[in-house]
Amino acid sequence: MKRTRVITIAAATVALAAAGVGTAAAATSSNPHRDSHDIDKSLIEAFIDRHPKNVIVLIGDGMGTQEITAARYYQGVNNPLNVDRMDITGFDTTWSLKPAAAPPYLPDYDPDSASTGTMWATGEKTIDERISQGPSSAENVPGANLKTALEVAQERGMRTGDVSTAEITDATPAVQGSHISLRGCQGPANMAACATETKAAGGPGPIAEQLVDHKIDVILGGGRGRFEQTIPAGSGPDGGKTVVQSAQGKGYQYVTDAAGLDGISNANKPVLGLFTAGNMTVEWAGPAASLGKGNAPVACTETNRPANEPALADMTRKALSLLDANNRKGFFLQVEGASIDKQDHATNACGQIGETVAFDKAIGVALDFQKTHPGTLVVVTADHSHTSQIVSEDASGAGLPTGYSTNLLSKDGQTLTLTYGTAGFGGAGLPPVNVPPSQQHTGAVVPVWAKGPGALAVLGTNDHTDLFDVITSFRR
Amino acid sequence: MKRTRVITIAAATVALAAAGVGTAAAATSSNPHRDSHDIDKSLIEAFIDRHPKNVIVLIGDGMGTQEITAARYYQGVNNPLNVDRMDITGFDTTWSLKPAAAPPYLPDYDPDSASTGTMWATGEKTIDERISQGPSSAENVPGANLKTALEVAQERGMRTGDVSTAEITDATPAVQGSHISLRGCQGPANMAACATETKAAGGPGPIAEQLVDHKIDVILGGGRGRFEQTIPAGSGPDGGKTVVQSAQGKGYQYVTDAAGLDGISNANKPVLGLFTAGNMTVEWAGPAASLGKGNAPVACTETNRPANEPALADMTRKALSLLDANNRKGFFLQVEGASIDKQDHATNACGQIGETVAFDKAIGVALDFQKTHPGTLVVVTADHSHTSQIVSEDASGAGLPTGYSTNLLSKDGQTLTLTYGTAGFGGAGLPPVNVPPSQQHTGAVVPVWAKGPGALAVLGTNDHTDLFDVITSFRR
């Protein structure tokens, strides 16, 4: 499916030199970040060097154009986000494959996080629920595993990290450090649907074990419950241990709260930080969405996360510090803001916006690192688009959305109305159900932002599979 | 609100020269257009020259990321659009201003086509329904008019064109060649709400008269009904004439069908082409959207437009040919694919996709012109985002959208499901209304694509007001 496109810096250099020196032009932008991050500077940096030493991939799960705009507008129209510091931008298509007994595999326009994650992690399309394996309908097929960007980095002797606000065994973090036919097979006790893939059956075991077996240097997120499950007897030397005990046996430093993470200073031993049993607590809380006009506009409560759970920005900062320490060979780090998606599914506008803002703070940490480590490529994108839409606060009667709406008071003091309506049909002649069911993903292209060596390749319209080449274009 | 960002080509040239010649890197994309339109070539072209001779602005009304993706997927995932030939891409925010008796004017997150059009046409924010005038609550305020990009081009002796599939007096085409307090004041008989702005009252008259009075060289679209209205007595020398007669008196060549347009060969006299009484006929037809699961998937009928109406691509080709003939000073042309928005309002998936494909063909015409006239800047964007969303074909029960869905059979033979749910609330405890009311605009950033001199300024995240500087960065 892919075609090779040759980029010749020589031609660029000659052409630009021919343009003559001394010409200057002024352009303006209402984006104040442009003062210090002008387009030319970003472009020249990316033009000169196509091969990063370090790669940081940040995934805003479900963060389509509506979601990023909702966060931007909530924070104030003249108060740009950190992601707005990134000048090299494009769009990626995200279609996955439909299950079939054999090729051809046909397009599925509304993908999940497993198939989309597999795209940038491996460069290949697969079916929904599949983690870094091809689309074959058979389980545990020899050769089905697709090499991931994290594995490519490890083969080159680079350090690696995997950070998420979800269970770290959830689909998006799983795609870099595991291969399994169904995303649900996360812990030793969750393998019923992946019976041929247990270690006892000669397979690689559940996602939790695979992440540890991959010896990823920094693993930070939720999902402690999966790692506290006991590995069954007959699974090899770790049978009878929990996955945590297995990790500690492999040399992992294990922490379970923010203070523990702060205390880690040894960058020469791997780190496993699991801060909640399930997904990490969302940053913000607010009113429930409802049918019709929705609530009187209110501001979100921004203090929902307990202090013993680190923020995504804190996990990102710590991961960068550990991965970069005395490291000549570079690193590969994936960071996921997971609950943008989960709160969009849940029609929780404040939850969704708070997670987007928290994710944006992690982007800020990555960009600050990139500034002092210009050999670093930072790529930000979403895995797929989602449901929330910004609509008019003035609608009334039948002009109101059919679904679930919330009215927020933005930091500019204005009403920001979000609506969710991709699930909740009540039946023929019936109103939508009162308690909104999980909303759907949507199919629109997702935004992509990049900065640093190799960034130019995200410009224009590409597919999420193309991102694999971008994030593995490591220094030679 | 704007800040100046200095672009220094000299620094770029030196930096690139310092990078040394001979380095080559290969990158891949699944986008086959990348074979012949590689990123570097587009960037170098835009790097060297920031000042276009000609500017073509193409507006897909309501064409957010869901709408462009729906058209791309309907046409086939391996059959990219013409817009996918454009490598220089970014995002624009589109918020407008809320009405107020005096400043400060606060943000409105869900704008209309008048306020958004005024943004790129003039570089300034205004209130909804306002055409290239400031946000003051008073009508016909001296000095309220904001200079438009088309007027800047005219002052430089450039030729100008305004093309749309809507009534040419509709908001988006109106913003370049008229100034009025309410978008509805389109023809001499539509001035009740703009009483102080009639010519009899010393104002500039309705949009139709203003477009003609502006002596725009090429005016092509729908809206003949507005121009067949009679200018009232007391309106100056044209009182008692229709606007068509007024135009003819000013030297306009007047045509009303595709054959008439084909027959125009004199580029030295202006052209008024009005091909329908109202909006032009949409290209495609298909099934009506309905609540719940929607129709059994079908392909769209692609032959809805009568042959006597020119396609948008035909109007664009003719406009370019007339504007470029023996023209040393260059031209400014705006082209609108208007009914993407109108069919999105109407929950007509085939209508919407057909108009997007027709708009994309006009983009192809502009890009082909740009290829042979590299001094031309092509900018493509939407004025605002809209309602349609691509959702799962597999949903059932309460997992189905709350609104109005349509199932189409894509050219890959797969079901493409679109849903619309930003209007249609039936009341407390009632189902959504059966005949969907006009759907809402939505607030997400819109995609921006550019190619040619000056294109780099669209990269990253900007505001629609910033586009004014981009499209008026004419050659010096």
Side-chain angles (χ1 to χ4, degrees), chain B residues 346-369:
Chain B
T347 70
N348 180 353
C350 280
Q352 172 191 316
I353 291 174
E355 293 306 288
T356 310
V357 170
F359 177 63
D360 186 65
K361 287 181 182 167
I363 294 170
V365 168
L367 291 176
D368 289 349
F369 181 89

Side-chain angles (χ1 to χ4, degrees), chain A residues 72-293:
Chain A
R72 186 183 283 118
Y73 283 177
Y74 185 84
Q75 294 290 76
V77 295
N78 291 312
N79 182 22
L81 301 172
N82 286 303
V83 78
D84 298 339
R85 292 158 62 180
M86 304 180 80
D87 293 327
I88 300 178
T89 40
F91 316 106
D92 272 8
T93 53
T94 66
W95 56 277
S96 62
L97 300 180
K98 287 184 177 166
Y105 298 101
L106 294 163
D108 180 332
Y109 305 121
D110 195 47
D112 84 337
S113 295
S115 59
T116 53
T118 298
M119 292 180 211
W120 71 79
T122 74
E124 301 291 336
K125 296 264 183 206
T126 196
I127 59 173
D128 290 353
E129 302 204 45
R130 189 63 56 90
I131 302 289
S132 295
Q133 290 186 335
S136 163
S137 56
E139 263 182 36
N140 202 18
V141 178
N145 290 354
L146 302 167
K147 189 180 287 186
T148 73
L150 183 145
E151 290 168 344
V152 172
Q154 286 186 322
E155 285 180 358
R156 298 170 52 91
M158 297 166 72
R159 287 196 194 143
T160 59
D162 202 3
V163 174
S164 177
T165 53
E167 296 189 84
I168 198 69
T169 50
D170 201 10
T172 306
V175 294
Q176 292 292 359
S178 66
H179 307 269
I180 202 153
S181 61
L182 285 170
R183 59 186 285 177
C185 300
Q186 297 185 38
N190 313 123
M191 293 295 285
C194 304
T196 66
E197 296 171 275
T198 61
K199 283 188 175 168
I207 292 166
E209 288 182 66
Q210 289 194 50
L211 293 176
V212 167
D213 291 344
H214 263 78
K215 297 190 175 138
I216 298 170
D217 297 282
V218 179
I219 302 175
L220 302 176
R224 194 167 60 230
R226 311 288 184 175
F227 289 76
E228 289 177 344
Q229 295 173 6
T230 302
I231 301 170
S235 301
D238 284 339
K241 295 182 188 171
T242 66
V243 188
V244 168
Q245 290 165 338
S246 162
Q248 288 172 316
K250 291 179 169 72
Y252 271 91
Q253 307 172 79
Y254 178 58
V255 295
T256 58
D257 61 14
L261 182 63
D262 278 349
I264 297 279
S265 59
N266 185 348
N268 296 318
K269 287 177 67 183
V271 178
L272 176 65
L274 300 172
F275 305 103
T276 47
N279 298 316
M280 292 178 71
T281 309
V282 298
E283 298 276 345
W284 293 8
S290 56
L291 293 167
K293 188 71 184 170

Side-chain angles (χ1 to χ4, degrees), chain B residues 53-83:
Chain B
K53 176 187 177 190
N54 309 310
V55 172
I56 310 173
V57 180
L58 298 112
I59 306 297
D61 204 303
M63 192 182 73
T65 55
Q66 296 281 355
E67 286 74 19
I68 192 75
T69 309
R72 185 183 283 119
Y73 283 176
Y74 186 85
Q75 294 291 77
V77 293
N78 290 312
N79 182 22
L81 301 173
N82 286 304
V83 79

Side-chain angles (χ1 to χ4, degrees), chain A residues 1-17 19-32 34-35 38-40 43-44 47-48 50-51 65-66 68-69 72-73 77-78 84 86-91 93-95 98 106-107 109-110 291-292 385-395 397-404 410 412 414-416 419 421-425 429-433 437 440-445 447-449 456-463 465-466 469 476, chain B residues 1-17 19-32 34-35 38-40 43-44 47-48 50-51 65-66 68-69 72-73 77-78 84 86-91 93-95 98 106-107 109-110 291-292 385-393 395 397-404 410 412 414-416 419 421-425 429-433 437 440-445 447-449 456-463 465-466 469 476:
Chain A
M1 189 186 307
K2 291 188 178 188
R3 302 168 191 228
T4 300
R5 169 172 48 89
V6 175
I7 292 176
T8 310
I9 294 185
T13 311
V14 171
L16 282 167
V21 294
T23 324
T28 58
S29 172
S30 58
N31 178 346
R34 282 290 172 79
D35 284 346
D38 74 51
I39 291 175
D40 284 31
L43 286 174
I44 292 163
F47 225 115
I48 291 173
R50 309 291 172 122
H51 298 291
T65 55
Q66 297 281 356
I68 192 75
T69 309
R72 186 183 283 118
Y73 283 177
V77 295
N78 291 312
D84 298 339
M86 304 180 80
D87 293 327
I88 300 178
T89 40
F91 316 106
T93 53
T94 66
W95 56 277
K98 287 184 177 166
L106 294 163
Y109 305 121
D110 195 47
L291 293 167
S385 290
H386 218 303
T387 286
S388 71
Q389 293 184 303
I390 301 163
V391 292
S392 173
E393 65 181 288
D394 298 322
L400 287 165
T402 57
Y404 309 90
S410 75
D412 288 324
Q414 303 306 299
T415 302
L416 174 63
T419 196
T422 61
F425 178 67
L430 294 173
V433 298
Q440 297 190 37
H441 298 171
T442 62
V445 288
V448 189
W449 299 262
L456 295 184
V458 311
L459 288 168
T461 303
N462 300 287
D463 184 79
T465 53
D466 298 321
D469 281 349
R476 289 170 185 181
Chain B
M1 190 185 305
K2 291 190 174 186
R3 302 169 191 228
T4 300
R5 172 170 46 91
V6 175
I7 292 177
T8 311
I9 293 185
T13 311
V14 171
L16 282 166
V21 294
T23 324
T28 58
S29 173
S30 57
N31 178 345
R34 283 290 174 79
D35 284 346
D38 74 54
I39 290 175
D40 283 31
L43 286 175
I44 292 164
F47 226 115
I48 291 173
R50 310 290 171 122
H51 298 291
T65 55
Q66 296 281 355
I68 192 75
T69 309
R72 185 183 283 119
Y73 283 176
V77 293
N78 290 312
D84 298 338
M86 304 181 80
D87 292 327
I88 300 176
T89 41
F91 315 107
T93 52
T94 66
W95 56 277
K98 287 184 176 166
L106 294 163
Y109 305 120
D110 196 47
L291 292 168
S385 290
H386 218 302
T387 287
S388 71
Q389 293 185 303
I390 301 164
V391 291
S392 172
E393 64 180 289
L400 288 164
T402 56
Y404 309 90
S410 75
D412 287 326
Q414 303 307 299
T415 302
L416 175 63
T419 196
T422 61
F425 178 67
L430 295 172
V433 300
Q440 298 190 36
H441 299 170
T442 62
V445 287
V448 189
W449 299 261
L456 295 185
V458 310
L459 288 168
T461 303
N462 300 287
D463 184 79
T465 52
D466 298 321
D469 281 348
R476 290 168 186 185

